[in-house]
Amino acid sequence: MEIGIDSFASAMYGSTTLTSVDAMEQLLERISLADEAGLDVFGIGEHHKKEFLDSAPAVILSAAAARTKNIRLASAVAVLSTSDPVRVYQNFATLDLISKGRAEVVVGRGSAIESYPLFGFDLKDYDALFREKLDLLLRIRDEEFVTWSGKFRPALQNQPVYPRALQKKLPVWLGVGGTPESFVRAGSLGLPLMVAVIGGETEHFRPLVDLYREAGRKAGFSTEQLKVGLHSPGYVAATTEQAIADYYPGYAELWTKLGRERGWPPVTQSKFNNLIGPRGVLVVGGPEQVAEKLLRHSEALGGVDRFTFQMDNAGLSHQRLMQSIELIGTKVIPLVKKNV
């Protein structure tokens, strides 16, 4: 199992508001440490809000590429529905050259919708935009000269797209939430799957993952091609007690605020305790507890090839995030590998 981190490039931590310059520098320091600590991947999301600095993830990842040697660098996710697939490919092909073959693209429709009015797209075309643009992105990845036509973008007639990625086939993952159609689409295309599970119990996603694998097999793809990734909120401290004390206040504040916006109930200590329990989605605890939970999640989903922590959205300080990354690299990863 590969283990890494996803970040939304938060501009704020706790009660202290950092300058954007400081917040970006700290993010790059965390990516550098993740590389040094032996983590496998670091992903940057895409948002267009004041509290996040990740509106241009490929730029952040390129800066990280210059500071790192081994860690893979990915979007998490790139909102393909409101982007030009030509530019998405060019940006990540350029990143692939800078990083010497470490770039990956995780694409999705986006759970946040602020990019639709910003770039002039209609939400009623939410899925149609994504289907068409994914088709074009895969065509560009696989063919240097592209002939293509669609509804939402001017046609291409034997048009070359440069630069080409260093990797022969730039990895494109499909980021999904909870719709069966998305899982089937990923399997039918033979794309690796990144499942975002942010609430409830991870095992409830097993039927959807099974749909993905069955669709992939029917389309003629091998088990090795049908990779499953899992993205969940999480945090590692020296002990489980310390992890809860660090993580709960900021988590409760954030998710209660989101709940008011989206109609969810407020976070309570009881609900939080269920989420960090053996079957709950949150991967919060000491190294031993976290390693055990990652293995349980993998078993529940019939095997997980990659897990990424989302940890910088709970008001944690840069120092605590750095300590958590160090523990993931020195404690959690060895424990997981020992038991796989």
Side-chain angles (χ1 to χ4, degrees):
M1 182 193 302
E2 295 178 334
I3 296 177
I5 292 173
D6 289 332
S7 172
F8 295 163
S10 175
M12 298 174 64
Y13 298 101
S15 60
T16 302
T17 302
L18 302 176
T19 69
S20 295
V21 171
D22 290 340
M24 188 65 75
E25 177 59 29
Q26 289 182 357
L27 173 60
L28 293 171
E29 288 177 6
R30 294 196 294 276
I31 301 175
S32 295
L33 178 60
D35 181 49
E36 294 167 7
L39 276 67
D40 296 292
V41 60
F42 205 108
I44 300 292
E46 180 188 341
H47 297 82
H48 302 271
K49 297 180 178 181
K50 183 178 181 180
E51 60 265 37
F52 302 121
L53 300 174
D54 61 347
S55 64
V59 177
I60 298 174
L61 293 168
S62 292
R67 298 183 179 210
T68 58
K69 295 180 180 180
N70 299 306
I71 197 166
R72 298 193 68 77
L73 301 166
S75 56
V77 301
V79 184
L80 187 60
S81 302
T82 57
S83 301
D84 183 348
V86 174
R87 293 300 286 160
V88 171
Y89 178 83
Q90 289 176 324
N91 287 341
F92 281 86
T94 302
L95 171 63
D96 204 44
L97 297 175
I98 294 169
S99 66
K100 298 180 174 62
R102 293 184 281 131
E104 299 187 0
V105 191
V106 184
V107 297
R109 295 178 295 184
S111 59
I113 60 173
E114 70 274 0
S115 64
Y116 286 81
L118 181 63
F119 296 114
F121 293 99
D122 195 324
L123 266 175
K124 70 179 177 61
D125 298 321
Y126 185 75
D127 191 61
L129 280 163
F130 183 72
R131 283 188 283 108
E132 178 175 299
K133 293 188 176 190
L134 179 61
D135 175 65
L136 177 54
L137 178 64
L138 296 177
R139 188 78 63 86
I140 294 168
R141 180 195 63 175
D142 296 340
E143 301 173 9
E144 183 175 343
F145 290 81
V146 180
T147 297
W148 177 93
S149 64
K151 176 181 178 182
F152 300 104
R153 189 199 186 284
L156 298 172
Q157 183 62 42
N158 199 36
Q159 181 70 47
V161 179
Y162 301 116
R164 305 304 298 175
L166 177 62
Q167 296 175 86
K168 185 176 181 181
K169 202 162 189 174
L170 183 69
V172 176
W173 294 64
L174 194 60
V176 300
T179 59
E181 296 79 9
S182 295
F183 286 79
V184 171
R185 175 160 48 212
S188 299
L189 294 170
L191 296 177
L193 183 77
M194 180 55 70
V195 188
V197 182
I198 59 175
E201 297 179 355
T202 300
E203 64 187 44
H204 291 164
F205 280 74
R206 177 63 183 268
L208 294 170
V209 173
D210 287 344
L211 277 177
Y212 163 70
R213 290 179 171 130
E214 181 60 25
R217 284 192 291 269
K218 286 182 178 179
F221 296 102
S222 67
T223 302
E224 291 72 25
Q225 290 172 290
L226 301 172
K227 294 181 179 180
V228 174
L230 178 62
H231 159 104
S232 292
Y235 172 67
V236 185
T239 66
T240 294
E241 293 75 18
Q242 186 63 53
I244 294 171
D246 291 347
Y247 192 79
Y248 175 71
Y251 175 85
E253 180 182 352
L254 171 69
W255 289 93
T256 297
K257 177 183 176 183
L258 288 175
R260 286 195 295 268
E261 297 172 358
R262 303 186 185 187
W264 304 335
V267 174
T268 64
Q269 185 73 58
S270 175
K271 291 179 180 178
F272 179 79
N273 290 342
N274 288 333
L275 288 171
I276 66 171
R279 299 168 68 179
V281 65
L282 296 185
V283 186
V284 175
E288 294 79 10
Q289 290 75 21
V290 165
E292 290 172 4
K293 193 159 192 177
L294 292 182
L295 293 168
R296 280 197 299 272
H297 280 345
S298 182
E299 182 180 3
L301 295 180
V304 168
D305 299 283
R306 174 178 290 180
F307 178 83
T308 54
F309 291 84
Q310 170 60 45
M311 67 169 66
D312 67 354
N313 60 350
L316 294 162
S317 69
H318 176 58
Q319 181 182 6
R320 284 178 173 166
L321 291 170
M322 293 284 276
Q323 291 169 348
S324 189
I325 291 169
E326 188 74 38
L327 286 169
I328 292 169
T330 60
K331 301 289 186 181
V332 175
I333 289 176
L335 286 169
V336 170
K337 288 183 176 180
K338 180 181 177 181
N339 290 281
V340 170

